[in-house]
Every structure is written in structure tokens, then in C-alpha cells.
Amino acid sequence: DAKTTQPTSMDCAEGRAANLPCNHSTISGNEYVYWYRQIHSQGPQYIIHGLKNNETNEMASLIITEDRKSSTLILPHATLRDTAVYYCIVSSGGSNYKLTFGKGTLLTVNP
Amino acid sequence: DAGITQSPRHKVTETGTPVTLRCHQTENHRYMYWYRQDPGHGLRLIHYSYGVKDTDKGEVSDGYSVSRSKTEDFLLTLESATSSQTSVYFCAISEFRDTPYEQYFGPGTRLTVT
């Protein structure tokens, strides 16, 4: 699976959009981009995933560049409860689906 | 929230004793996973299961064994606990589909080996 690079930490004001970047320059054609988050002391939570096209669900939007070498997770209106570590993961999925978690980005939403 | 429970939620044990952690799901998902999380290492996969009695090793499987005799239960056993196995253990589940799918995580078990 391709390696990802994320900033160690970011801050965001409550009510503003939070844009979390991820670089995955070695991604291959069959690999998906996944985003998870982990609120302090809880288990990780799935947010969204995508292959080529931009994706949106009730939690967030995922923007993938045309060359697929980077992506951005967007939380449109961040709240204090969105303070968490956000993990960007690249995986080909498949029948033995495994995830490799890096260190992620600590997003702190400030009042 | 996905129906995943882990037991016990907290455990303190002594070096050399056996320990079994249980993960129970009510979702009837085929895949189950055990991860450990330590400061500075993030989450690391210990073992996973792709069906009843079908298991395989992850990246940090030494010192751990697993069993899955029923779809809903996945047990992680430390045959002889060591201090290096002090960690937070997370169970996860997922379902097989033709397209990649998400994993749902349990609340975690905090294990301290003294």
C-alpha cells in the first residue's frame, strides 16, 4: 500500500471549514483513499473514501486531485466535537482488507 | 453505531499470566480484526479473521494468538503477558463487498501488565 504524508497538527475556528491535506504521491491505480478519525480515547471512526472522483457524505467531503497524488478532507462547518486525530490511509482493499494507520493529523477546533 | 463490544474494558494483570480479550459483534460481519495502539506507533494490526476458524497474522502478531469459533466472537489471547504488551487494544469489523468497505471499531480495552 502507498505511504501517506499528513501535517502533524492543524487548528480551525469553530464554524469554519476545516481542510485537511494528505499527500500520497506513490498511489497506484487500484488504491483507494480512506479517511478515519479518532476522538480521544475512542476507537477510530470511518469518515469517507474515494478512488478518483470527489465524494461527499453527511460527515465530510473528499477532494482528490486529478493525478491522485494528493487529497483533501473537508469538514464544512467544524465543531468542537470534531477535535480528533484524522488519518489518511491508502489501500487497495480486496478480500483481506487491512488498514495501515500512520500518525495522522491532530485537528484542534477552537471556540 | 455498529454493534461491537469489547470485554473487559480495563484489565491489570501480572507478567507471565495468560489474558484473553473478547470482541463481540451483532452485525454478522465476516471480517474481524485486532489492533493495538501505543504512543508513537499509532494503530498496528495484530491478527485478523476472514471467517469462522479462518485467521491470519498482522504486522505485530508475536506473543498473541486468536480464535474465532463463531461469527460474532473473536478472541485475542496473550499466552504469557509481558510488560511490552501493555497497550490499548481495539477490535474492528467489516463486511466483504466487491468494492472496498469501511471498518467499524469497538471502544477498546486498556490492558496494563505489571
Side-chain angles (χ1 to χ4, degrees):
Chain A
D1 294 337
K3 183 177 177 179
T4 61
T5 303
Q6 299 177 251
T8 302
S9 63
M10 295 182 63
D11 287 317
C12 177
E14 188 177 20
R16 305 297 294 268
N19 296 279
L20 292 92
C22 180
N23 285 322
H24 32 80
S25 59
T26 61
I27 192 170
S28 60
N30 65 340
E31 289 182 316
Y32 286 71
V33 180
Y34 299 84
W35 284 84
Y36 283 73
R37 74 179 182 183
Q38 186 173 23
I39 298 170
H40 182 62
S41 297
Q42 298 181 19
Q45 177 189 24
Y46 165 82
I47 302 173
I48 199 167
H49 76 270
L51 181 63
K52 296 180 185 178
N53 301 321
N54 299 336
E55 302 287 345
T56 296
N57 62 19
E58 65 279 3
M59 290 183 66
S61 294
L62 174 60
I63 308 298
I64 302 175
T65 58
E66 191 170 345
D67 63 7
R68 304 209 321 123
K69 293 184 177 182
S70 66
S71 61
T72 301
L73 179 74
I74 301 172
L75 307 178
H77 304 286
T79 70
L80 299 180
R81 288 178 297 179
D82 291 322
T83 292
V85 176
Y86 287 77
Y87 298 98
C88 170
I89 301 167
V90 171
S91 177
S92 59
S95 59
N96 290 330
Y97 178 47
K98 294 182 281 186
L99 297 174
T100 301
F101 286 80
K103 297 186 177 172
T105 296
L106 172 59
L107 174 69
T108 303
V109 181
N110 301 303
Chain B
D1 290 341
I4 310 168
T5 56
Q6 293 185 230
S7 58
R9 294 292 314 279
H10 301 272
K11 186 172 182 65
V12 179
T13 191
E14 293 184 350
T15 298
T17 59
V19 177
T20 296
L21 309 183
R22 180 185 184 230
C23 177
H24 179 78
Q25 60 147 329
T26 58
E27 305 296 323
N28 201 35
H29 281 9
R30 176 177 173 183
Y31 291 86
M32 299 187 75
Y33 310 80
W34 277 107
Y35 292 87
R36 61 178 288 175
Q37 186 170 33
D38 307 290
H41 287 279
L43 277 93
R44 293 180 290 176
L45 181 66
I46 306 171
H47 282 280
Y48 65 100
S49 169
Y50 46 97
V52 173
K53 297 188 180 179
D54 292 323
T55 64
D56 205 350
K57 296 178 179 180
E59 63 177 306
V60 290
S61 59
D62 287 348
Y64 302 95
S65 62
V66 291
S67 65
R68 190 166 178 204
S69 59
K70 298 184 291 184
T71 298
E72 58 267 33
D73 289 325
F74 192 32
L75 304 180
L76 177 71
T77 297
L78 291 65
E79 300 291 346
S80 178
T82 67
S83 59
S84 65
Q85 294 176 310
T86 292
S87 187
V88 180
Y89 292 85
F90 288 101
C91 172
I93 65 173
S94 63
E95 187 51 86
F96 177 81
R97 296 191 187 101
D98 292 333
T99 56
Y101 39 85
E102 59 266 30
Q103 292 186 6
Y104 298 99
F105 286 78
T109 294
R110 184 172 296 275
L111 176 67
T112 302
V113 184
T114 61

